[in-house]
């Protein structure tokens, strides 16, 4: 099939590349000249495991191309995916101006055969209706198109894997031709992986996405709530949560306490869902509680550091991990940045290391020292603060780390290390909920 994908962020670029891998003829559109220049050289502008190989292979095979013009791609395609960003407005609502802008441009070029416009980005319920109205308002004929919701469930760091072997494919389509077209898009993937397809209404699909992210964020905030209770009561949160998670109705995944969730999705989507509830006349207290506990998680951690180190002014503090989670170079809403901000404000001298996110962080926070590895961070440090649970931190030579530090104190915001082992090695160790 001929497919256009508008927007080449994490969702758009992964979706477009994976659709090409499924055998479709894909044009990815972006209006950012810097990004496009890289993509035209078949270089991925983001770090995402496996993505570069797929771009090279599919662009090489002539199935994947990049352009900045929406017009020709819309004219030539049977299916058009909207994958632009839906950032958070200051009041928490999702900012849909890019979605609307793209809808208007699509309307101008919608001609010829019947086409399906797919909302892939995370949007509040009833956005597809607005997209449809916009396309009609700007001149398209209503028999020529349908608007479908096909939410994406990919996680940064495993985006390719999540797309090529999904838990489920959700298609929200209200007409038979739209359902057929979408089945055609995903047929190669369904045949290969047996992934279940949930064919639902457009509005249900939109709510599935916000509902799923809210539930996942709720699990994290629940884990943090239990961790905070364990800290006060003198219990071990990992023991408690493991046992709770063994009930298969609950499940053990996504129950890791720490310094809270960050990233480009949860904070924005949870806030937007809260606003959607408000619009629907429903009390948003569930969502507010998730957000409140997430803020408390980082506050409690910072208080622990301040209580132990007392005066931070002039203290050498090493930060391990900058990305909002492992296997990505993304620092959007990264808890590490909040920790650094606060330590800096108190006058601490900060050195930091992250396996992938140093380049991005250096642009945002140029005034701290960036090190070549964790050992360099440890050298002379009066405390280490772990903000991201990178696998490589789990394999550090901890005896060496201890010998390099001036005072061996570790604040482990992701429970990467074993408290007994750390104490046995002579560290003063603080985990979360342990
Ligand atoms: C999230 C969802 O997991 C995806 O299913 C969804 O498709 C995506 O948002 C989206 O809407 O686009 P992502 O933002 O890549 O994916 O990150 P997650 O892996 O969900 O992690 C989010 C944050 O939660 C990270 O800061 C992570 O460290 C934290 N986390 C995760 C915890 O603190 N505890 C956990 O048990 C799990």
């Amino acid at each position: 099939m001929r497919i256009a994908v508008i927007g080449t962020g994490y969702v758009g670029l992964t979706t477009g590349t994976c659709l090409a891998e499924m055998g479709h003829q894909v044009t990815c559109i972006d209006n950012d000249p810097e990004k496009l220049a890289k993509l035209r050289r078949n270089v991925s502008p983001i770090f995402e495991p496996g993505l570069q190989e797929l771009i090279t292979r599919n662009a090489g095979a002539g199935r994947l191309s990049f352009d900045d013009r929406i017009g020709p791609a819309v004219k030539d395609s049977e299916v058009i995916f909207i994958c632009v960003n839906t950032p958070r407005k200051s009041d928490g609502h999702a900012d849909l101006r890019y979605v609307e802008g793209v809808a208007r441009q699509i309307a101008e070029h919608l001609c010829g055969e019947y086409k399906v416009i797919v909302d892939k980005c995370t949007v509040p319920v009833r956005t597809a209706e607005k997209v449809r109205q916009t396309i009609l308002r700007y001149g398209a004929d209503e028999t020529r198109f349908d608007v479908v919701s096909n939410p994406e469930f990919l996680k940064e760091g495993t985006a390719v894997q999540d797309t090529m072997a999904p838990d489920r494919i959700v298609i929200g389509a209200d007409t038979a031709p739209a359902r057929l077209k979408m089945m055609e898009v995903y047929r190669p993937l369904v045949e290969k992986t047996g992934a279940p397809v949930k064919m639902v209404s457009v509005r249900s699909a939109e709510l599935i996405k916000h509902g799923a992210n809210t539930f996942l964020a709720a699990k994290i905030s629940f884990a943090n709530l239990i961790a905070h209770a364990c800290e006060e009561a003198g219990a071990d949160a990992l023991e408690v949560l493991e046992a709770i998670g063994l009930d298969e109705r609950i499940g053990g995944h996504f129950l890791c306490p720490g310094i809270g969730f960050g990233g480009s999705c949860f904070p924005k989507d949870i806030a937007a869902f809260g606003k959607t509830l408000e619009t629907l006349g429903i009390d948003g207290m569930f969502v507010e509680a998730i957000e409140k506990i997430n803020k408390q998680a980082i506050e409690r951690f910072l208080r622990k550091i301040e209580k132990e180190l007392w005066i931070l002014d002039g203290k050498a503090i090493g930060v391990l991990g900058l990305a909002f989670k492992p296997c990505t170079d993304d620092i959007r809403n990264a808890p590490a940045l909040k920790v650094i901000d606060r330590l800096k404000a108190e006058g601490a001298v900060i050195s930091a290391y992250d396996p992938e996110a140093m380049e991005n962080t250096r642009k945002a926070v140029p005034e701290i020292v960036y090190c070549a590895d964790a050992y360099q961070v440890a050298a002379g440090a009066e405390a280490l603060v772990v903000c991201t649970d990178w696998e490589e931190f789990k394999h550090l030579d901890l005896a060496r780390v201890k010998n390099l530090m001036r005072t061996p104190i570790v604040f482990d915001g992701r429970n990467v290390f074993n408290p007994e082992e750390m104490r046995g090695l002579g560290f003063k160790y603080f985990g979360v909920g342990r």
Side-chain angles (χ1 to χ4, degrees), residues 10-11 48 122 151-158 162 168 209 212-213 216-217 219-221 223-224 252-269 294 323-326 328 330 332-335 387-389 413-414:
Y10 278 91
V11 171
E48 189 59 44
T122 306
E152 186 49 62
F153 300 102
L154 59 82
K155 302 180 282 299
E156 286 180 29
T158 52
D162 293 340
R168 76 294 209 194
K209 174 64 192 181
N213 273 7
L216 289 168
K219 281 192 97 173
I220 300 172
S221 278
N224 282 324
H253 295 301
F254 248 65
L255 274 183
C256 301
I259 46 176
F261 58 78
S264 66
C265 302
F266 284 164
K268 155 179 90 72
D269 293 349
N294 201 47
F324 82 98
K325 66 172 193 178
T328 177
D330 195 344
R332 286 175 291 175
N333 292 305
C387 293
T388 316
D389 41 344
R414 296 292 182 186

Side-chain angles (χ1 to χ4, degrees), residues 108-164:
E108 283 167 29
H109 301 282
L110 216 56
C111 55
E113 63 189 337
Y114 166 82
K115 296 177 199 295
V116 171
I117 322 293
V118 188
D119 247 338
K120 189 87 179 156
C121 38
T122 306
V123 291
V125 63
R126 295 186 175 171
T127 298
E129 281 160 49
K130 299 257 168 42
V131 168
R132 181 178 169 74
Q133 283 160 13
T134 304
I135 295 176
L136 288 173
R137 189 176 305 138
Y138 287 87
D141 172 348
E142 68 174 336
T143 58
R144 287 247 165 89
F145 76 99
D146 274 309
V147 180
V148 156
S149 167
N150 170 220
E152 186 49 62
F153 300 102
L154 59 82
K155 302 180 282 299
E156 286 180 29
T158 52
V160 170
Q161 194 189 320
D162 293 340
T163 310
M164 294 308 288

Side-chain angles (χ1 to χ4, degrees), residues 28-42:
C28 289
I29 317 289
D30 207 293
N31 57 9
D32 176 341
E34 217 177 296
K35 217 187 238 185
L36 202 65
K38 279 193 175 174
L39 287 169
R40 282 187 163 143
R41 283 183 277 118
N42 299 334

Side-chain angles (χ1 to χ4, degrees), residues 368-386:
I368 63 171
V369 176
Y370 292 91
C371 298
D373 59 25
Y375 300 107
Q376 218 179 73
V377 172
E382 288 160 274
L384 283 182
V385 180
V386 182

Side-chain angles (χ1 to χ4, degrees), residues 1-4 77-82 106 110 113-119 135 144-149 171-173 175-182 185:
M1 293 176 88
R2 284 163 291 116
I3 296 178
S77 300
E78 299 157 71
V79 180
I80 301 143
F81 283 81
I82 305 179
I106 290 174
L110 216 56
E113 63 189 337
Y114 166 82
K115 296 177 199 295
V116 171
I117 322 293
V118 188
D119 247 338
I135 295 176
R144 287 247 165 89
F145 76 99
D146 274 309
V147 180
V148 156
S149 167
I171 298 171
T175 70
R179 281 185 214 119
L180 265 173
K181 270 267 186 265
M182 290 307 288
V185 170

